[in-house]
Amino acid sequence: MGIFVQTVILKPFNSLVGERRVVIVSFLVGSLCNYLYGVAETKRTIFVSATLASLTGMSFPTISAIKSNNVDEMEQGRIQGALYSLQSLASALGPLLLRYVYNETKDGGGFGRGTMFIFGAGLYLVATLFAWALPEEEAN
C-alpha cells in the first residue's frame, strides 16, 4: 500500500496542497492511526487504521524535498545524511521509549494496553505542530 501511496497519490496531492500541507496531513493521519490502534476493540479497526497508516509514508520524501529545495546544491548530500541520521536515531529510540510506556501501563495504568499507541499519537501531534510552524514560502 505504501508503494501505491508514494507512486500514485503523493505527486498529485503535493501539487494540489503543497509540500507543507502534505507533511501536516501525513502527521495528522499518523496521529489518528496510532490513536485508533490504542483504542481498537475489533480487528476491523486495526485493518482500517493500518490501511490509513500508509499515508504517513508521504512525510519523509516530502520532508527530504523541502530540505533539498532550501539548501545550496553543495549542501544537499549533507542535509540528506542528516535526515537519514535523524531517522535512524528515531528508529532506535522509538521502540525503547514505547516499550517503557507499555511496561508502565500494561497492568491497567494510563489508558491500558493501548497507552503506547496513544503516546505515539501524541508524538505525531507534536510533529504536526512543528510542520505547521514551517514557513509556507520555504516549504512549498
Side-chain angles (χ1 to χ4, degrees), residues 11-31:
K11 177 109 172 97
F13 189 56
N14 189 19
S15 298
L16 182 68
V17 300
E19 292 170 336
R20 179 175 164 264
R21 288 187 185 94
V22 168
V23 174
I24 291 169
V25 168
S26 180
F27 287 163
L28 284 174
V29 169
S31 182

Side-chain angles (χ1 to χ4, degrees), residues 38-114:
V39 299
E41 294 183 6
T42 65
K43 289 180 184 178
R44 178 181 288 161
T45 306
I46 297 295
F47 287 125
V48 168
S49 184
T51 303
L52 286 173
S54 64
L55 295 174
T56 62
M58 295 187 299
S59 62
F60 191 75
T62 307
I63 292 168
S64 295
I66 290 170
K67 288 308 202 186
S68 291
N69 292 334
N70 285 293
V71 296
D72 192 32
E73 203 172 292
M74 300 301 286
E75 295 289 317
Q76 287 189 5
R78 287 184 185 162
I79 198 71
Q80 291 297 343
L83 285 172
Y84 278 102
S85 295
L86 283 173
Q87 183 183 32
S88 295
L89 183 63
S91 295
L93 294 178
L96 293 173
L97 182 60
L98 292 178
R99 182 177 177 93
Y100 174 76
V101 171
Y102 174 76
N103 285 334
E104 292 297 315
T105 61
K106 67 181 176 185
D107 296 325
F111 298 105
R113 289 189 154 153

